[in-house]
Amino acid sequence: SDFKSRLIAILSHDIKSPIQGLFGVIDLLDRGAAKPKELSALMKDLKIKLRGNYEKINDLLHWSTAGLSKDGESNEVYRVQEALDGAVEDMALEISSKSLQLKKGNSSDLKSFGDKKIVRTVLRNLISNAIKFSDEGKAIEVSVREEEKEVLVAVKDQGVGMSDEDLNRIFEKAKMPGTGSAGETGSGIGLAICYDLVKRMGGRMWASSS
């Protein structure tokens, strides 16, 4: 279905970047370029990347087999904080690599109805985008709160900001690729697919710049 195709597209997008990092780590080990003191850190990074990709592949298997409703979601009542905590954990290595300060609120009592795995995937992409456009040492804030009978999840970074024109196009599939603060590249398709997924689940997604 179109819904499954979107899920596969966004998770494939998620998996690509860590694989590139894995190649870099393996190349260092293969060439013996890493000093003995660096080996422990490299192996730790390797394990984190492998674990993250393993979980994303499990998500793909989850959505390609049983447990899906006719609309494509595996609906359940879940704690939104759990999805957010999982997304932050998925991006721990990337956050550390830029020495970013992560400020995370806690609203463990707030619940929502939907597919927690999809929400975690969307949040992972939002955090990834915040990391991409954050300079080293800056802060990223993620929070969950209730607002007018809705659960609002926010990801805020200290990037350079965006023009009104770019904000209006940020969720378009045809949006031009962007380059991160450390030269990271990306197609911009992740946010567009996230927007579609959230809308399909009956939610709203928007961006602002100050």
Side-chain angles (χ1 to χ4, degrees):
S1 68
D2 180 56
F3 186 79
K4 285 186 181 179
S5 296
R6 291 177 181 179
L7 287 171
I8 291 171
I10 194 170
L11 282 166
S12 297
H13 173 269
D14 278 357
I15 290 169
K16 181 180 177 180
S17 179
I19 287 178
Q20 291 174 333
L22 284 173
F23 277 128
V25 172
I26 292 171
D27 181 61
L28 284 174
L29 296 174
D30 186 49
R31 292 186 291 107
K35 298 177 181 178
K37 291 183 179 180
E38 297 173 335
L39 285 176
S40 177
L42 286 173
M43 293 306 295
K44 181 180 179 181
D45 290 350
L46 189 61
K47 287 171 66 176
I48 291 173
K49 287 180 180 293
L50 284 172
R51 183 185 64 189
N53 269 8
Y54 177 79
E55 291 176 354
K56 292 165 193 173
I57 291 170
N58 273 340
D59 287 348
L60 278 172
L61 293 172
H62 167 76
W63 283 310
S64 66
T65 55
L68 297 174
S69 72
K70 64 180 180 179
D71 294 325
E73 302 97 16
S74 177
N75 290 322
E76 60 180 334
V77 175
Y78 68 94
R79 295 184 186 277
V80 181
Q81 189 70 40
E82 291 179 2
L84 179 56
D85 290 344
V88 170
E89 182 180 349
D90 291 343
M91 300 307 299
L93 181 59
E94 286 78 2
I95 291 169
S96 176
S97 68
K98 273 193 167 182
S99 300
L100 298 172
Q101 304 171 47
L102 181 70
K103 301 178 180 179
K104 185 179 68 172
N106 192 317
S107 298
S108 58
D109 57 325
L110 292 181
K111 297 179 181 179
S112 186
F113 181 76
D115 192 314
K116 184 170 67 173
K117 287 182 176 290
I118 294 177
V119 174
R120 177 170 174 166
T121 298
V122 169
L123 291 174
R124 182 168 60 231
N125 272 263
L126 293 179
I127 295 170
S128 175
N129 194 68
I131 293 169
K132 177 179 176 180
F133 292 101
S134 293
D135 289 326
E136 187 170 341
K138 294 292 185 177
I140 294 175
E141 297 179 44
V142 291
S143 60
V144 182
R145 69 177 186 273
E146 188 173 18
E147 188 172 288
E148 297 181 356
K149 297 183 179 180
E150 292 183 320
V151 177
L152 178 64
V153 182
V155 179
K156 181 180 180 181
D157 62 54
Q158 296 178 326
V160 296
M162 303 179 70
S163 66
D164 290 340
E165 180 181 359
D166 286 340
L167 279 173
N168 290 333
R169 299 180 60 217
I170 192 171
F171 300 121
E172 293 179 7
K173 287 186 175 64
K175 183 175 69 65
M176 292 296 291
T179 302
S181 62
E184 304 98 325
T185 59
S187 65
I189 194 68
L191 287 177
I193 299 174
C194 284
Y195 180 84
D196 286 346
L197 291 174
V198 170
K199 185 177 179 181
R200 187 180 181 102
M201 289 191 296
R204 298 180 297 128
M205 185 173 175
W206 67 93
S208 61
S209 182
S210 57

